[in-house]
Amino acid sequence: MDHVPPGVELRHLRGFLAVADELNFTHAAAVLRVGQPALTRTVRALEDALGTRLLERTTRRVALTEAGSRLRDELAPLLSRLDGALRTAGSEPPLLRLGFTSLLPQACAELVHAFKAATGAGVRLVRRDEPLAGLLSGACDVAVVRGDVPSGAAVRTRVLLREPRVAVVARGAAELAGRRVVDWAELADVPLVVNTVTGTTSPDLWPPERRPRLACTADNLDEWLEAVAAGHGVGIAPEPVARRHTHPALRRVRLKNAPPVTVHLAVPARDSHPLAERYLNQARQFSDASSG
């Protein structure tokens, strides 16, 4: 846009971006600490001012239109920089936003403590159900990424640690009933439930000639848990994540010969936050100390 259309205010942009991140008006309203009706009116006011529909709404879901997706991609880094400039200009201490998806590794608690002691900066934890925990949309400055980093992502990474995998099954599941340990190769014979957004396991991890059948997919951890609990198939997850997110209808099964999950720290490839670089350096010292 060559100019800001009349009537567009910063609160309109922040409201739209929150809904674009959450794809849920209730969750976005909670993030912004406003009422859902007020947030709905705010987004509609922005659409009216721009003369285009940014969101497709149904009773079951909220999705970005093509115009909404373009605006989200351009707006997110701009508002992130604006927030950073305002923090710098104000009296608040510097702040690093650490993004994660399903669970922050325990190692990060030690890292955060050491980082705060070394820099005097604060750390805000940001959860996003996105492959890079909102890093490229400007929601965080450093992201904790489990599993493979999305191909072609404009990021730099550092390996933080590796976590074992476990199987998650419905209680009484016929395929693994009563088993306490299962070999990784045996799972090629059972249907698999995959979290395609923040999950770490897909059929591609098995040899091409013998892979599990994809039973169904999920867009977030809660859907994934419910799909496994419903008996659609077996789920595979990092052991700390599975241990933290329990479900009365599910049990964990230890895996033998399963490849571990690599946990990375990621920052933007260009123009990363100076504090993000300090955090990566702190992580390197942590890794060196752990290996020594």
Side-chain angles (χ1 to χ4, degrees), residues 145-148 161-165 200-201 237-239 258-263:
V145 182
R146 281 184 167 89
D148 294 335
L161 52 88
R162 290 178 173 83
E163 297 173 332
R165 282 181 165 91
T200 56
T201 304
E239 191 276 336
V261 177
T262 302
V263 182

Side-chain angles (χ1 to χ4, degrees), residues 149-169:
V149 175
S151 177
V155 298
R156 291 183 289 113
T157 63
R158 179 183 298 280
V159 173
L160 178 62
L161 52 88
R162 290 178 173 83
E163 297 173 332
R165 282 181 165 91
V166 296
V168 180
V169 302

Side-chain angles (χ1 to χ4, degrees), residues 49 67-68 80 93 121 124 158 169 230 235 243 272 278 286:
S80 178
R124 177 187 173 193
R158 179 183 298 280
V169 302
R243 175 164 31 91
S272 60
R278 294 286 300 273
F286 172 85

Side-chain angles (χ1 to χ4, degrees), residues 9-44:
E9 302 176 13
L10 186 58
R11 64 184 179 90
H12 296 143
L13 303 178
R14 291 192 187 281
F16 162 72
L17 194 57
V19 177
D21 283 342
E22 299 291 336
L23 292 180
N24 183 293
F25 275 87
T26 301
H27 295 169
V31 169
L32 295 174
R33 298 181 181 179
V34 301
Q36 182 178 336
L39 179 58
T40 299
R41 291 193 297 270
T42 295
V43 173
R44 284 177 177 166

Side-chain angles (χ1 to χ4, degrees), residues 56-232:
E56 295 290 350
R57 309 163 179 83
T58 69
T59 56
R60 297 175 60 89
R61 63 191 292 269
V62 175
L64 289 165
T65 64
E66 184 177 347
S69 182
R70 288 198 305 269
L71 181 61
R72 187 270 316 273
D73 292 344
E74 294 184 12
L75 186 62
L78 294 178
L79 286 187
S80 178
R81 292 191 185 99
L82 174 62
D83 289 339
L86 293 176
R87 287 196 302 269
T88 302
S91 58
E92 295 183 6
L95 180 69
L96 177 75
R97 297 168 303 160
L98 180 61
F100 66 103
T101 53
S102 54
L103 176 72
L104 199 64
Q106 180 59 37
C108 285
E110 302 174 40
L111 267 176
V112 166
H113 180 76
F115 172 79
K116 292 168 71 174
T119 64
V123 175
R124 177 187 173 193
L125 303 181
V126 179
R127 176 179 173 176
R128 288 289 187 274
D129 284 327
E130 303 176 28
L132 288 171
L135 181 68
L136 297 185
S137 66
C140 64
D141 305 306
V142 181
V144 179
V145 182
R146 281 184 167 89
D148 294 335
V149 175
S151 177
V155 298
R156 291 183 289 113
T157 63
R158 179 183 298 280
V159 173
L160 178 62
L161 52 88
R162 290 178 173 83
E163 297 173 332
R165 282 181 165 91
V166 296
V168 180
V169 302
R171 295 187 181 277
E175 298 92 343
L176 302 174
R179 299 285 296 276
R180 299 183 62 182
V181 181
V182 173
D183 191 276
W184 177 257
E186 293 181 66
L187 295 176
D189 299 322
V190 300
L192 198 65
V193 177
V194 173
N195 178 349
T196 57
V197 178
T198 61
T200 56
T201 304
S202 72
D204 294 344
L205 289 177
W206 283 262
E209 66 276 7
R210 192 160 182 264
R211 287 177 173 168
R213 174 177 63 85
L214 182 62
C216 66
T217 62
D219 293 334
N220 55 62
L221 182 64
D222 292 332
E223 289 181 5
W224 179 82
L225 288 170
E226 294 299 338
V228 177
H232 295 319

